């Protein structure tokens, strides 16, 4: 997980409250992603970014927004948390070239009660 | 719709044997196929990438095959060790900015 830091690692929040998850990278990678991982569904893409202020929706974007004001930071916001958003959230960066692949953070376990 | 399937059942093997994991996909033409390892409470870790024009790729005890006709990839771990116990994920990449589609993973358990 070297190079990608997610915060917080764990969070419990109440339904209806806004929540922001943070991802910080030191890899200087252009591409960044937010995934959620749930039993029976695997990893699903929420939002992604191709660069500063350049973001787009993924497969399960409803209820989520993102912002990327600097190359190294990618924020995921749950505008009004619901119990269906209880999940483990992973941030990832993507390196291109001959050894293309993702580097994932350690994840944030979010519980919405 | 696009679908990617991995062995849903956990795979239990004896130390020293070869583990073979399967990844099948439908309605998709990936440019690349990737394999990741995930340990409990951790993020996935990239292992190998194989391109659509490659049949086989090796890295130490790992071997990946990619058959675009069968729409299948096989992931082999030779001389398996208990430390290889983890969940293994396959992911498809159609070369559109790294947006991967992941399978649900296969849990591998290697017994001493």
């Amino acid at each position: 997980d070297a190079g990608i830091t997610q915060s917080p690692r764990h969070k419990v929040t109440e339904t209806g409250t806004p929540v922001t998850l943070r991802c910080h990278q030191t890899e200087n990678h252009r591409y960044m992603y937010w995934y959620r991982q749930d039993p029976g569904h695997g990893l699903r893409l929420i939002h992604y970014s191709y660069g500063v202020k350049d973001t787009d929706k993924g497969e399960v974007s409803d209820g989520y927004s993102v912002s990327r004001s600097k190359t190294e930071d990618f924020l995921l916001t749950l505008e009004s948390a619901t119990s269906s958003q209880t999940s483990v959230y992973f941030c990832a960066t993507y390196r291109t070239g001959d050894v293309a692949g993702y580097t994932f953070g350690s994840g944030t376990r979010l519980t919405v009660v | 719709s696009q679908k990617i399937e991995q062995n849903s059942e956990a795979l239990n093997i004896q130390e020293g044997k070869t583990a073979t994991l399967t990844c099948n996909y439908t309605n998709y033409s990936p440019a690349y196929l990737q394999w990741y390892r995930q340990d409990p409470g951790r993020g996935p870790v990239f292992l190998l990438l194989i391109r659509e024009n490659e049949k086989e790729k090796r890295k130490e005890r790992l071997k990946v095959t990619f058959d675009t006709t069968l729409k299948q990839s096989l992931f082999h771990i030779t001389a398996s060790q208990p430390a290889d116990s983890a969940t293994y994920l396959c992911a498809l990449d159609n070369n559109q900015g790294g947006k991967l589609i992941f399978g649900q993973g296969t849990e591998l358990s290697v017994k001493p």
Side-chain angles (χ1 to χ4, degrees):
Chain A
D1 297 342
I4 296 181
T5 304
Q6 289 186 235
S7 61
R9 289 297 312 276
H10 303 272
K11 185 171 182 66
V12 180
T13 192
E14 293 186 349
T15 298
T17 60
V19 177
T20 295
L21 308 184
R22 290 174 170 77
C23 178
H24 178 81
Q25 61 141 332
T26 58
E27 309 283 338
N28 200 33
H29 287 161
R30 176 182 170 189
Y31 303 108
M32 297 187 75
Y33 308 82
W34 277 106
Y35 282 85
R36 60 179 289 176
Q37 187 172 37
D38 305 286
H41 289 281
L43 284 157
R44 292 180 292 173
L45 181 64
I46 305 172
H47 279 281
Y48 58 98
S49 171
Y50 290 161
V52 173
K53 294 185 168 58
D54 187 1
T55 65
D56 208 343
K57 297 178 180 179
E59 176 189 359
V60 289
S61 60
D62 287 348
Y64 302 94
S65 63
V66 289
S67 67
R68 192 162 178 209
S69 58
K70 297 186 290 185
T71 298
E72 57 266 35
D73 294 321
F74 194 30
L75 305 182
L76 177 71
T77 297
L78 289 66
E79 303 292 346
S80 177
T82 67
S83 58
S84 64
Q85 294 175 312
T86 292
S87 186
V88 180
Y89 292 86
F90 287 102
C91 173
T93 65
Y94 190 71
R95 61 187 177 280
T96 58
D98 290 342
V99 194
Y102 276 169
T103 301
F104 281 88
S106 296
T108 294
R109 182 172 293 277
L110 177 68
T111 302
V112 183
V113 297
Chain B
S1 62
Q2 297 169 346
K3 196 172 182 181
I4 178 170
E5 291 184 339
Q6 299 186 245
N7 314 58
S8 57
E9 299 291 326
L11 183 62
N12 297 301
I13 65 168
Q14 206 67 32
E15 182 176 9
K17 302 293 186 182
T18 296
T20 298
L21 285 66
T22 305
C23 177
N24 295 296
Y25 60 93
T26 56
N27 298 325
Y28 204 74
S29 297
Y32 311 104
L33 190 144
Q34 303 183 16
W35 284 89
Y36 290 79
R37 169 185 172 139
Q38 187 173 24
D39 293 286
R42 306 294 299 275
V45 174
F46 173 75
L47 296 175
L48 279 168
L49 175 150
I50 186 166
R51 293 176 172 78
E52 60 178 338
N53 60 351
E54 297 177 318
K55 297 294 185 185
E56 183 179 297
K57 180 79 69 82
R58 292 176 185 261
K59 179 183 176 182
E60 298 172 353
R61 294 184 295 112
L62 309 180
K63 184 178 86 170
V64 173
T65 63
F66 192 12
D67 188 325
T68 55
T69 301
L70 291 178
K71 294 187 183 297
Q72 181 182 78
S73 175
L74 299 179
F75 178 79
H76 306 273
I77 305 175
T78 59
S80 61
Q81 305 166 359
D84 295 326
S85 299
T87 296
Y88 291 85
L89 308 172
C90 71
L92 306 182
D93 180 0
N94 65 353
N95 201 22
Q96 290 187 357
K99 289 183 292 179
L100 302 187
I101 296 178
F102 284 86
Q104 293 188 30
T106 298
E107 185 179 350
L108 172 67
S109 178
V110 182
K111 304 296 184 185

